């Protein structure tokens, strides 16, 4: 693999950043550590295949509950649009909490698989957009 040495990257930081932003990602090696450095557009493209899906339940009072499949989050709203916004906000908040305590979350076996969804939400950084992107399927009450 084409690895650049960390010492070279450090010495040529501005040129490396310009290259990553305008040309292509970089693979960087520091001793035994290997890293990948890219811009948001590349990450968005990579994460495009990850979608948020939810089961939709119509409650007895007419409200709508959305249960996210990828992460254990459930939100309720007066209608589907309100529930989507609530779920988008919950996804974004969970993602911020996950990132803030990244080492803990990524070492929990039941949460490690959340990583691509966390980064997708953090890059989107808009609760309404996240909620609107959720693909809903009818659930059974």
């Amino acid at each position: 693999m084409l690895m650049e040495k960390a010492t070279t990257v450090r010495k040529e930081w501005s040129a490396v950043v310009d290259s990553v932003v305008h040309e292509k990602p970089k693979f960087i090696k520091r001793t035994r550590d290997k890293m990948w450095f890219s811009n948001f557009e590349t990450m968005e493209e990579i994460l495009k295949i990850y979608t948020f899906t939810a089961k939709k339940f119509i409650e007895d009072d007419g409200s709508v509950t959305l249960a996210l499949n990828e992460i254990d989050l459930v939100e309720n709203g007066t209608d589907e649009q309100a529930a989507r916004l609530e779920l988008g906000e919950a996804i974004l908040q969970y993602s911020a909490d996950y990132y803030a305590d990244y080492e803990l979350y990524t070492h929990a076996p039941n949460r490690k698989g959340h990583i691509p969804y966390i980064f997708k939400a953090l890059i989107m950084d808009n609760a309404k957009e996240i909620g609107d992107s959720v693909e809903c399927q009818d659930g059974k009450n």
Side-chain angles (χ1 to χ4, degrees):
M1 193 179 299
L2 301 172
M3 290 280 182
E4 296 202 28
K5 293 180 182 174
T7 53
T8 304
V9 171
R10 188 172 47 248
K11 288 178 189 173
E12 300 172 11
W13 178 249
S14 186
V16 169
V17 169
D18 286 344
S19 175
V20 166
V21 169
H22 300 292
E23 296 171 19
K24 62 184 176 189
K26 299 276 185 193
F27 297 96
I28 303 167
K29 183 175 182 185
R30 184 188 71 182
T31 317
R32 293 186 196 119
D33 300 326
K34 294 177 182 176
M35 296 165 271
W36 179 52
F37 185 24
S38 81
N39 62 21
F40 268 30
E41 289 79 17
T42 300
M43 284 299 295
E44 285 174 323
E45 190 63 32
I46 289 168
L47 296 172
K48 198 181 280 186
I49 64 168
Y50 294 92
T51 57
F52 296 108
T53 62
K55 296 277 192 241
K56 177 174 76 172
F57 302 94
I58 308 299
E59 304 297 345
D60 292 339
D61 64 358
S63 67
V64 175
T65 298
L66 298 177
L68 194 65
N69 294 318
E70 295 73 26
I71 302 168
D72 190 23
L73 295 173
V74 177
E75 292 296 331
N76 179 271
T78 54
D79 57 20
E80 185 175 334
Q81 200 55 35
R84 283 176 173 277
L85 181 57
E86 291 292 327
L87 188 58
E89 289 172 351
I91 292 168
L92 196 52
Q93 183 59 55
Y94 174 75
S95 298
D97 293 345
Y98 190 111
Y99 187 74
D101 217 348
Y102 191 79
E103 188 174 356
L104 173 71
Y105 281 95
T106 57
H107 286 90
N110 63 330
R111 296 184 187 243
K112 191 170 184 90
H114 297 174
I115 292 171
Y117 300 99
I118 297 312
F119 282 107
K120 182 171 185 109
L122 291 174
I123 287 171
M124 289 175 81
D125 194 29
N126 181 308
K128 182 176 181 342
E129 185 180 328
I130 293 168
D132 288 346
S133 76
V134 175
E135 296 176 10
C136 295
Q137 304 138 353
D138 289 335
K140 295 180 181 177
N141 288 357

